[in-house]
Structures are given as C-alpha cells and as structure tokens.
C-alpha cells in the first residue's frame, strides 16, 4: 500500500499554562508500496507524533493522509476501526500480555477481529514458523528473551494480514546482535508478504541495515529524504551529517554500506 502525507500539522496544547507545542510542521512524504521506509530523527524531532498521525491513532490539525487513492485521516467510527485493523504495529517495549502464552498473544488480534478458532489456530502456527519460534507456542512470556518477545510481537502484528507494518523504535531495547537478527527477519517478511514497512528510529544503523528509503526529521520538519545510499553518501542537512559522524566513529567506512 502506498502512503502519501500532504502538509501534516499537529499541535499539542500546553499543560498548566505552558506554551503549545507544534510537533509536526507541514510534513509531506511519499511512502511507496512494498518498500521499507525509514523515518529517522533525534529525540524530540517529532517522530512518534508523526507515526501516530500516519497510523491513524491521532488526527492531524491540518493536511491529509492518503492510503493508495483513499483519504483516511478523516475517517470516524466503524470506518476508522476497519482501516486500523489493516495496520500492524510493533513497539520498543513489545507490549505483550504477561498473562498469555506466546501463542495466545499472537491470537489476540484475531480474536478481536472475529476469526474462528480454527482460523486462529492455523494462523498462529504459521506466524510462529515465520518468526522461527514454533517451539514457543505455549511458553509464558516471562520465559522469553528480548529478541524472542519482539519476534512474538512481530507475529502478532502480522497475524491479521495487514497492509502496512509500523515499527516504532522496534529495536531500541535490544542488543546489537539481536537487533541485526530482528532487522533481517523484517526484511525477509517484507519481501515474502509484499508489505509496506514504516520504521521510526533514532539509530542510523537501523536505516542502513533495513531500509530502502529514508526521511530525516528535525524539529517537526523533513530536512531531507531519498534513497538510503544517496542520503548516506551525499548528506545535505547538518542533522544527517551528525548521525553519520556518530556511526562512523565506531566502524570503518568500508563496513558502513550494505
């Protein structure tokens, strides 16, 4: 599914007489279908606010969000609920139910959507195999490692066959080796399922290792966007140059590019 953002603006009211904060300032982006699109920025750049608008968790003050040829930011009621069910999301802290097993966590969205028990059982097994955890179906969440928890979260997000997968700082809580395995899994899934994936991150390594295209966000605005290789080889904004300088401190330039 193609996503088009046209001049999105979002302002949050100040608390206790503090000033209003405009977190998203006229953002326009074209996110092509069946690609992994990265949105990178430092803390406070507006990334999380933007993904909430794109994933229909919040409504912009102005501008519009298009899924393919359909405007979706103005949906309400049942239409909004049905559209949200076509979206998958994974988060930094996994957000799994500790009272459920791994398999039961994967089943949860399908239960909400009214899948039959037989459909759920088949799909849970499919998803566990996809993420390489077929032996963990009945495992309590507390017994899983961080990487395994994120794999279950990915399986849960994909269980209802969404059109888009949103990854909001999905690897920030993981060690570098586990991060690489999760990013490799997301790339494999994207290719197999022809998904549009939107990755929100503050880690340039994530963009390098997983994304096809990237937009750099700073202070609520897009300061540059393009293919990952073009942005990394010819950075234009100071923000992007800072990101690259930080990553190149720890690795050689020959290892930086995929």
């Amino acid at each position: 599914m193609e996503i088009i953002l046209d001049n999105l603006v979002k302002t949050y009211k100040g608390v206790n007489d503090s000033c209003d904060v405009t977190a998203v300032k006229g953002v326009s982006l074209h996110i092509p279908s069946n690609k992994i699109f990265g949105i990178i920025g430092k803390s406070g750049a507006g990334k999380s606010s933007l993904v909430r608008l794109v994933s229909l968790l919040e409504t912009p003050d102005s501008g519009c969000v298009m899924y393919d040829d359909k405007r979706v930011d103005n949906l309400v009621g049942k239409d909004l609920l049905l559209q949200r069910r076509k979206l998958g999301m994974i988060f930094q802290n996994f957000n799994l139910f500790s009272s459920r097993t791994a398999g039961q966590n994967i089943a949860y969205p399908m239960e909400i959507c009214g899948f039959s028990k037989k459909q759920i059982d088949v799909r849970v097994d499919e998803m566990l195999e996809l993420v390489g955890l077929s032996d963990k179906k009945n495992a309590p969440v507390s017994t899983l490692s961080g990487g395994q928890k994120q794999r279950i979260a990915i399986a849960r997000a994909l269980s209802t066959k969404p059109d888009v997968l949103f990854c909001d700082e999905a690897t920030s809580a993981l060690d570098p080796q586990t991060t690489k395995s999760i990013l490799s899994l997301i790339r494999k899934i994207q290719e197999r399922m022809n998904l549009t994936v939107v990755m929100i991150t503050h880690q340039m390594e994530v963009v390098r290792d997983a994304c096809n295209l990237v937009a750099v966000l700073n202070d609520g605005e897009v300061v540059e966007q393009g293919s990952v290789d073009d942005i990394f080889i010819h950075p234009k904004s100071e923000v992007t140059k800072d990101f690259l300088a930080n990553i190149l401190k720890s690795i050689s330039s020959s290892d930086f590019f995929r």
Side-chain angles (χ1 to χ4, degrees):
M1 183 169 68
E2 177 186 58
I3 301 174
I4 295 176
L5 313 180
D6 184 16
N7 202 28
L8 292 186
V9 175
K10 183 66 177 181
T11 299
Y12 296 96
K13 295 294 183 182
V15 179
N16 297 329
D17 298 324
S18 61
C19 296
D20 294 350
V21 176
T22 302
V24 180
K25 304 174 181 176
V27 169
S28 295
L29 286 175
H30 172 218
I31 300 174
S33 179
N34 301 335
K35 298 291 185 182
I36 303 181
F37 192 100
I39 299 175
I40 188 169
K42 297 179 180 179
S43 178
K47 305 185 301 298
S48 292
S49 297
L50 180 60
V51 76
R52 290 182 69 82
L53 299 179
V54 184
S55 61
L56 309 183
L57 294 176
E58 293 186 6
T59 304
D61 298 325
S62 60
C64 66
V65 179
M66 305 286 292
Y67 286 177
D68 289 332
D69 296 324
K70 176 184 177 183
R71 183 172 181 178
V72 293
D73 61 277
N74 58 355
L75 296 177
V76 295
K78 185 178 180 181
D79 290 336
L80 176 59
L81 180 62
L82 290 174
Q83 186 64 68
R84 283 177 175 167
R85 287 181 175 177
K86 298 179 182 179
L87 310 176
M89 293 198 70
I90 58 174
F91 306 90
Q92 176 178 348
N93 295 321
F94 320 129
N95 291 0
L96 298 176
F97 297 109
S98 59
S99 60
R100 286 176 166 242
T101 65
Q104 290 169 340
N105 267 277
I106 298 170
Y108 181 74
M110 293 182 282
E111 294 169 359
I112 297 299
C113 291
F115 284 53
S116 71
K117 185 179 186 304
K118 182 177 181 180
Q119 288 175 315
I120 291 173
D121 288 342
V122 170
R123 187 66 174 165
V124 167
D125 289 342
E126 289 175 350
M127 291 295 94
L128 285 167
E129 183 178 359
L130 180 67
V131 300
L133 293 177
S134 293
D135 61 332
K136 299 296 183 181
K137 182 175 183 177
N138 298 314
V141 167
S142 61
T143 65
L144 302 178
S145 67
Q148 290 171 334
K149 288 177 181 177
Q150 195 59 287
R151 286 173 180 264
I152 295 300
I154 292 170
R156 180 181 62 181
L158 297 176
S159 65
T160 57
K161 301 181 180 180
D163 297 321
V164 183
L165 177 65
F166 292 97
C167 308
D168 190 1
E169 299 284 7
T171 59
S172 294
L174 305 175
D175 62 75
Q177 183 175 354
T178 305
T179 292
K180 287 187 176 182
S181 71
I182 293 296
L183 294 179
S184 176
L185 174 64
I186 290 173
R187 289 198 308 271
K188 180 184 76 172
I189 289 171
Q190 189 276 326
E191 292 173 358
R192 181 179 298 186
M193 301 180 71
N194 291 322
L195 272 174
T196 299
V197 179
V198 180
M199 303 199 74
I200 310 298
T201 184
H202 68 277
Q203 299 173 293
M204 202 55 127
E205 300 94 323
V206 170
V207 172
R208 176 198 65 191
D209 292 344
C211 300
N212 309 114
L213 302 162
V214 62
V216 182
L217 204 65
N218 187 52
D219 195 25
E221 300 178 305
V222 175
V223 294
E224 63 181 306
Q225 59 182 300
S227 73
V228 169
D229 288 344
D230 285 347
I231 293 294
F232 284 16
I233 296 172
H234 303 293
K236 297 175 183 177
S237 73
E238 291 304 314
V239 175
T240 310
K241 292 175 183 177
D242 286 345
F243 274 123
L244 294 175
N246 288 333
I247 189 175
L248 287 172
K249 287 178 182 178
S250 59
I251 59 175
S252 69
S253 58
S254 61
D255 292 332
F256 183 81
F257 298 102
R258 293 169 294 168

